[in-house]
Amino acid sequence: MNRKYRKTIIAGNWKMNKTPSEAKELIEGLKAKVGRQKWCDVVLCVPFVDIPVAVRTARDAKIAVAAQNMHYEKSGAFTGEISADMLKELGVKYVVVGHSERRQYFAETDKTVNLKVKAALETGLRPIICVGETLEQREAEITEQHITAQVKVALLDIPAELVRKVVFAYEPVWAIGTGKTATAEQAAEVCALIRAVIRAKYGARVARSVTIQYGGSMNASNAQELLSQLDVDGGLIGGASLKADDFAAIIFAANQ
Ligand code: PEP
């Protein structure tokens, strides 16, 4: 983390978990644990139907609400989809774009990620852009090329003044929901690579202001080591964000 230049962001990705009443209970529990802490931004990426109750319940805490996906068009014949304007009007501040589960099961591509990043930024939502390599790609030693390409395409036609609003999450696919975590060195190396790609395109000032998270089986026991790496500015946390105690422990780890 480098708090001088950028915000630490700890985000919980609930995936397809928690009904609205369960969402309220979890957020109340989290507020009781962490209060109005000041050392990081806390974001909850909740299912669409939980957004109204999450925004209401989190309002008096320093907790922002994110959607887990959105469509890139403003409106139209896209049955089952949700637009950036719809999210914005509900009080959503962030949106996850290109999570590996969406790439894997819902045909998300680097191209649609770029379209969604543009639409989010134009609407005033901050995209959390997920990038990461599969185990096969790591073993074939093409992690660097793969991540570089994902970052470059995600940022196509995004002007420098908007890149500061972007958050990246380095999420090795092999570490998501598997209990396998990248080592602190692996996380640091790829987060530094993402920053280098941003630096090459936008310069050092912009690059140092962008928050880059690590995600992939982060939990209370490994969070502190991962978050102590210079280029790791937070976490995107799945399983361990579903219980107030576990998620609060990671938020406290970000204060070490
Ligand atoms: C995620 O959903 O982005 C994630 C990192 O999940 P987990 O922490 O469960 O690996």
Side-chain angles (χ1 to χ4, degrees):
M1 287 184 278
N2 187 336
R3 291 209 180 93
K4 189 167 162 205
Y5 295 116
R6 46 196 182 257
K7 275 283 193 166
T8 301
I9 302 177
I10 301 295
N13 177 21
W14 291 1
K15 313 194 189 204
M16 196 175 72
N17 292 293
K18 306 290 174 188
T19 63
S21 58
E22 290 167 343
K24 186 168 191 305
E25 192 183 330
L26 175 50
I27 298 170
E28 296 287 13
L30 193 60
K31 288 200 305 190
K33 297 263 164 220
V34 297
R36 291 184 62 84
Q37 60 76 28
K38 293 201 171 61
W39 56 86
C40 65
D41 286 354
V42 176
V43 179
L44 298 177
C45 314
V46 307
F48 289 132
V49 294
D50 293 346
I51 288 173
V53 73
V55 169
R56 264 198 317 278
T57 314
R59 191 166 284 150
D60 60 348
K62 212 170 155 276
I63 299 174
V65 173
Q68 298 174 9
N69 181 36
M70 55 166 245
H71 200 281
Y72 49 82
E73 292 290 352
K74 284 196 96 52
S75 61
F78 301 103
T79 303
E81 290 293 322
I82 300 283
S83 75
D85 284 328
M86 294 171 185
L87 298 173
K88 178 93 174 148
E89 194 172 310
L90 287 181
V92 166
K93 304 283 185 217
Y94 295 79
V95 58
V96 179
V97 176
H99 191 280
S100 67
E101 286 151 16
R102 298 223 51 97
R103 295 179 189 257
Q104 191 179 349
Y105 306 127
F106 301 99
E108 190 85 270
T109 63
D110 290 342
K111 174 75 189 153
T112 57
V113 166
N114 175 246
L115 292 170
K116 290 180 182 191
V117 170
K118 278 189 213 159
L121 290 169
E122 278 162 16
T123 313
L125 296 176
R126 296 188 65 183
I128 300 175
I129 307 172
C130 301
V131 295
E133 81 287 0
T134 61
L135 189 57
E136 293 70 37
Q137 287 168 325
R138 178 159 281 273
E139 284 173 353
E141 298 182 0
I142 55 167
T143 299
E144 186 174 334
Q145 292 102 293
H146 177 69
I147 302 288
T148 302
Q150 283 191 319
V151 174
K152 280 186 173 170
V153 179
L155 295 179
L156 275 178
D157 303 323
I158 307 295
E161 66 274 14
L162 289 181
V163 176
R164 294 169 195 273
K165 300 278 179 209
V166 164
V167 176
F168 273 96
Y170 165 52
E171 297 213 305
V173 178
W174 48 271
I176 297 178
T178 59
K180 288 186 196 142
T181 315
T183 62
E185 292 71 30
Q186 288 169 328
E189 189 181 21
V190 180
C191 289
L193 167 69
I194 294 169
R195 199 175 310 285
V197 178
I198 301 170
R199 189 183 305 117
K201 182 166 180 190
Y202 298 99
R205 281 171 72 100
V206 172
R208 75 183 180 206
S209 69
V210 175
T211 294
I212 303 176
Q213 302 171 312
Y214 166 78
S217 302
M218 190 186 270
N219 57 41
S221 358
N222 59 31
Q224 200 178 323
E225 195 191 357
L226 288 158
L227 295 171
S228 67
Q229 306 301 310
L230 187 66
D231 283 298
V232 180
D233 310 314
L236 182 55
I237 297 113
S241 69
L242 294 174
K243 289 199 183 125
D245 283 357
D246 297 350
F247 193 51
I250 297 174
I251 294 169
F252 284 113
N255 191 30
Q256 303 304 309

